[in-house]
Amino acid sequence: MKVNVNMYDDGSFDIAAGRIRLTDCFPGVDGRPLRPVHVEVTRGSGYCQASYTLGSQEGLSSTKGRRIVIRIADATDGAGMAISSELHGFPAAPHWFYPLFQARVESFRSVYRQGFGMGAATGLVAADRLAVQPSGRTESYGLAVLGSEDQYLSCYADKHDTYVHGYRLQTFGGEEGETVLSAGFRMEQVPLAEGAGVRLPDIVLRGFTDLEPALSAAASSIGAAMGARTHRKPAYHWCSWYYWYHRFSHRLLREYLPAFSSLGPSVPLQAVQIDAGYFPSAGDWLESNELWPDGLGPAFADIADSGYAPGIWIAPFMVGNRSRLYREHPDWVLRDSAGLPVIEWRCYNEPKAWGYADEEYYVLDTSHPEAMNYIRGVFRAFRGQGALLFKTDFMLWGIQDSAKVRRHTPGLTSVQYFRGLLEAIREEIGEESYWIGCIAPFLPFVGYADAMRIGDDVGAEWNGKPFGPENMIRQVSGCSYMNGLLWQNDPDAVLLRDFHIHMNGSELESLALLQAVSGGAIYTSDPLHELPSDRLELFRMLAPGGRSVRPRQPLLHEGRREIVFTHVWPEEGKALIFVFNPSSEPMTEQYDLERLTGEKAWYVRPWKQEHEPDRSAGSGPIEKLLVKLSARGSRLYLAALRSPPDGEAANLWMW
């Protein structure tokens, strides 16, 4: 679908993609529209451009003679349009610059919003729900897709290595009011080179007739521009956190390793990862506590000797106030505008975080050369001891607005400092190490992470607060388009145990299948050797194949309560169809198989033979599938084009 732009002599412009229109588009700075003293507009083949000369403007110091240029031209790949922005004559950047500021949005019915990082709200929001959002607005980061039935306008930036890129939709006047869109870059008032202009990343506008291709095209473009790491075999490992949490020990590790090995090659774990709890205080990563009296080097050796890659958890920005690091180097932590340490966690009451004594947790200032050298040395040491899987947590702490903090070495944006640390870590751990980002900003991490946690922590009960699967369920669906294009999605640990848990077998099976069919990383923290045989068989069945896979969500644009994932292999004549009901009420739905898969008729049978086949899934090929689900229930179907699927699915990807 073609995107059309019309620029007027006053420098405003309209954007249209089918019925969807953005009108009265105009640049803005720090929450206000520009008030130029002169506008010069030029037009040519495939482009239009406005140059805005600024006079004195409230909120902008010494703006006289400053100039902003907006150019809208055909995108370099020939699909859609690209908005480029340049700032000239500014000694320092504004805090936020908006190439589009409060443009009126017309004839749209939904917006697909992307959360900034792990756990942040992602997914489809109906236009009539915007007015009831907090403050009547919704925010999206990196991309936004406006929809109107079968027409979609996607907006995204390819590059996220310098600025936070955000969108804000706001409705004024209630449900029948006016909605406006602002799209901009957080420039954080950093100094700009004298006499030199600065060009911001392009905002790409593309039209589509379906939501899912709009999302995957944006992810493909971002991944290509930022060198996404998508070449690794999907992860399948064990992590110590979600059963023992911070009380896992070297003694327990020595018990578990031979027990895991006794399960044989049918449980092909790649790695065993030690999570938080091994250090005396956050920041003192190379010192071990009483649970690891010999240090982590011997523990890594034990893991490697058992045939697994050793893995380690670390929070590189986290500094406890009782740590040796802070006691000896208080100048290594980030300061606020008053010169006090930036505090991300306060633990003044019970329970203390992970049982540690620290009352406050600070942020390592990686602009300090000695602090950067220290954290480099930590990763270098772990890699030297044999670690090959690294899970870096609380990475969002590194995105601290440079306009609001004092750094040892100022002058860059938060994203630039953040990616400087990412570059250092990758250099120290090497290309061969597998890296999982956690509690992280998504798009600034592209190019470094092999996997990315997308949802909040799972927990032992469905409606548990703050831990439970509800956020993970939403994020698995909302962030599915990223998988295999930006990294491998990490939904979080698969829960399998039938002890010390408040969920029943049907609920656990539904969650496990959802995580596996989503095609990302798979791991558990349960003691595999203590699981019932059917749960262990399920974990075997979930083992990823040799390639990263991304499911289709053919009903994504409808905003339905159920999640429908499909994998179709036309050359092999087979497909997987997964339907999950996360609600607390049973449901019955009938699906047109051609709509779900692109092929009209299939031989279909449930994954588990003991599941009562739905009447629509008979012995012959069918065109419609009737699915009956209990609350929080699911069904996984095997489908074949030419003959009924044979045998049991011993593995999700090989049958």
Side-chain angles (χ1 to χ4, degrees):
M1 187 172 63
K2 184 175 176 57
V3 176
N4 296 297
V5 177
N6 188 22
M7 181 172 281
Y8 302 98
D9 289 343
D10 65 354
S12 66
F13 50 96
D14 297 339
I15 298 168
R19 291 182 296 274
I20 304 170
R21 292 174 57 83
L22 303 178
T23 62
D24 291 340
C25 304
F26 205 73
V29 173
D30 291 341
R32 292 177 293 276
L34 291 185
R35 293 193 291 273
V37 297
H38 178 71
V39 178
E40 182 179 342
V41 174
T42 57
R43 304 174 181 87
S45 178
Y47 83 94
C48 52
Q49 177 175 298
S51 178
Y52 310 85
T53 301
L54 306 182
S56 297
Q57 183 172 349
E58 182 183 354
L60 290 177
S61 61
S62 186
T63 59
K64 187 175 181 180
R66 312 296 183 236
R67 187 165 58 93
I68 291 173
V69 177
I70 299 290
R71 180 183 177 90
I72 309 175
D74 294 334
T76 55
D77 63 358
M81 307 292 288
I83 302 176
S84 63
S85 311
E86 295 179 6
L87 278 62
H88 296 272
F90 286 74
H95 190 216
W96 275 89
F97 173 70
Y98 307 91
L100 296 176
F101 183 71
Q102 294 192 348
R104 288 207 300 267
V105 188
E106 300 175 1
S107 302
F108 82 110
R109 295 189 176 183
S110 65
V111 60
Y112 201 90
R113 63 179 176 184
Q114 174 59 61
F116 186 57
M118 187 192 101
T122 296
L124 197 68
V125 180
D128 59 7
R129 299 297 299 168
L130 291 177
V132 299
Q133 297 286 317
S135 303
R137 70 191 186 203
T138 192
E139 294 183 345
S140 187
Y141 292 90
L143 63 84
V145 182
L146 301 171
S148 177
E149 295 179 350
D150 59 349
Q151 297 180 347
Y152 296 88
L153 173 63
S154 73
C155 316
Y156 62 91
D158 272 345
K159 300 286 283 183
H160 301 269
D161 55 1
T162 306
Y163 307 111
V164 171
H165 175 47
Y167 297 82
R168 174 177 291 177
L169 273 163
Q170 189 158 6
T171 298
F172 299 96
E175 294 186 21
E176 301 301 322
E178 179 180 79
T179 300
V180 297
L181 170 69
S182 298
F185 299 91
R186 196 176 81 185
M187 301 186 72
E188 302 180 10
Q189 300 175 353
V190 298
L192 301 177
E194 185 176 355
V198 59
R199 176 168 175 167
L200 288 90
D202 288 353
I203 297 177
V204 180
L205 309 170
R206 296 185 63 182
F208 294 85
T209 57
D210 196 2
L211 174 59
E212 196 171 31
L215 293 168
S216 59
S220 294
S221 186
I222 293 167
M226 297 190 66
R229 293 176 61 89
T230 58
H231 63 287
R232 300 298 295 268
K233 182 179 179 180
Y236 183 66
H237 61 280
W238 187 88
C239 160
S240 67
W241 187 251
Y242 294 92
Y243 185 64
W244 282 103
Y245 295 92
H246 61 279
R247 298 305 300 170
F248 194 61
S249 66
H250 201 164
R251 179 186 62 79
L252 283 167
L253 176 69
R254 286 175 171 147
E255 290 179 12
Y256 275 36
L257 287 173
F260 290 174
S261 298
S262 70
L263 301 175
S266 60
V267 182
L269 291 177
Q270 301 163 1
V272 169
Q273 180 234 312
I274 299 167
D275 217 280
Y278 60 87
F279 43 88
S281 184
D284 298 336
W285 310 114
L286 297 181
E287 300 178 32
S288 57
N289 59 24
E290 71 281 359
L291 298 174
W292 305 86
D294 301 321
L296 290 186
F300 292 159
D302 288 344
I303 294 170
D305 289 345
S306 297
Y308 309 116
I312 189 64
W313 176 100
I314 181 174
F317 288 108
M318 182 178 279
V319 179
N321 69 305
R322 292 184 178 270
S323 65
R324 179 192 298 270
L325 185 153
Y326 181 66
R327 186 167 64 251
E328 296 181 355
H329 304 285
D331 56 322
W332 287 8
V333 301
L334 198 64
R335 304 279 163 166
D336 63 19
S337 56
L340 300 174
V342 172
I343 304 174
E344 283 290 335
W345 272 6
R346 291 173 170 85
C347 303
Y348 300 156
N349 297 306
E350 59 178 341
K352 298 280 190 176
W354 310 327
Y356 283 97
D358 301 272
E359 293 88 0
E360 297 175 343
Y361 287 83
Y362 308 137
V363 181
L364 190 71
D365 180 3
T366 56
S367 79
H368 195 302
E370 294 179 15
M372 177 66 92
N373 287 338
Y374 167 75
I375 203 66
R376 271 185 174 273
V378 170
F379 282 93
R380 186 183 312 128
F382 281 148
R383 179 66 193 91
Q385 292 172 350
L388 282 167
L389 181 148
F390 293 83
K391 179 179 179 180
T392 59
D393 210 345
F394 295 92
M395 299 300 284
L396 275 170
W397 291 20
I399 301 290
Q400 302 280 346
D401 189 334
S402 291
K404 299 179 179 180
V405 295
R406 294 183 186 178
R407 300 185 190 274
H408 179 273
T409 308
L412 301 178
T413 68
S414 58
V415 174
Q416 289 173 310
Y417 289 114
F418 181 77
R419 285 180 64 85
L421 177 63
L422 300 187
E423 176 70 20
I425 292 173
R426 180 53 80 179
E427 287 178 0
E428 298 299 344
I429 67 176
E431 289 296 308
E432 69 278 8
S433 292
Y434 187 92
W435 185 355
I436 304 171
C438 190
I439 310 185
F442 285 152
L443 297 184
F445 222 126
V446 178
Y448 294 103
D450 298 293
M452 179 62 64
R453 263 286 298 282
I454 54 175
D456 288 345
D457 284 14
V458 298
E461 55 188 302
W462 196 279
N463 295 316
K465 302 295 180 184
F467 306 115
E470 292 179 320
N471 178 269
M472 181 269 286
I473 292 167
R474 183 188 69 200
Q475 295 300 99
V476 164
S477 174
C479 298
S480 179
Y481 73 93
M482 299 175 173
N483 194 46
L485 296 175
L486 301 182
W487 42 57
Q488 296 167 26
N489 283 357
D490 169 9
D492 206 10
V494 175
L495 302 178
L496 300 161
R497 60 187 184 266
D498 62 350
F499 47 88
H500 306 156
I501 199 160
H502 295 292
M503 287 185 276
N504 62 41
S506 175
E507 292 171 337
L508 292 175
E509 181 179 284
S510 291
L511 293 175
L513 290 174
L514 172 71
Q515 291 164 278
V517 176
S518 72
I522 292 293
Y523 59 94
T524 188
S525 295
D526 291 334
L528 292 170
H529 53 294
E530 298 177 13
L531 297 181
S533 59
D534 61 328
R535 303 290 178 91
L536 186 60
E537 189 59 39
L538 175 60
F539 191 59
R540 290 190 182 106
M541 187 256 192
L542 304 182
R547 60 185 177 181
S548 181
V549 292
R550 183 175 63 261
R552 286 195 60 234
Q553 294 190 80
L555 307 181
L556 180 65
H557 61 285
E558 296 184 8
R560 300 167 70 112
R561 62 173 174 171
E562 77 270 29
I563 294 174
V564 179
F565 281 160
T566 65
H567 291 275
V568 182
W569 300 276
E571 68 283 358
E572 300 174 31
K574 67 179 187 178
L576 288 174
I577 301 168
F578 177 70
V579 186
F580 171 47
N581 171 25
S583 75
S584 58
E585 299 294 331
M587 58 163 277
T588 299
E589 291 287 343
Q590 182 169 265
Y591 301 98
D592 183 281
L593 287 178
E594 186 171 16
R595 189 177 180 202
L596 296 188
T597 67
E599 298 286 347
K600 188 172 185 179
W602 294 82
Y603 293 91
V604 178
R605 74 166 176 81
W607 156 56
K608 280 189 174 181
Q609 294 284 25
E610 63 266 28
H611 283 168
E612 183 67 26
D614 299 319
R615 282 174 288 180
S616 58
S619 58
I622 60 172
E623 297 181 7
K624 296 186 182 298
L625 183 65
L626 182 67
V627 181
K628 298 179 180 179
L629 295 177
S630 62
R632 303 167 184 166
S634 67
R635 279 290 186 271
L636 175 65
Y637 297 94
L638 313 180
L641 285 173
R642 291 177 281 275
S643 61
D646 294 328
E648 294 286 346
N651 179 267
L652 198 62
W653 312 108
M654 294 179 287
W655 50 274

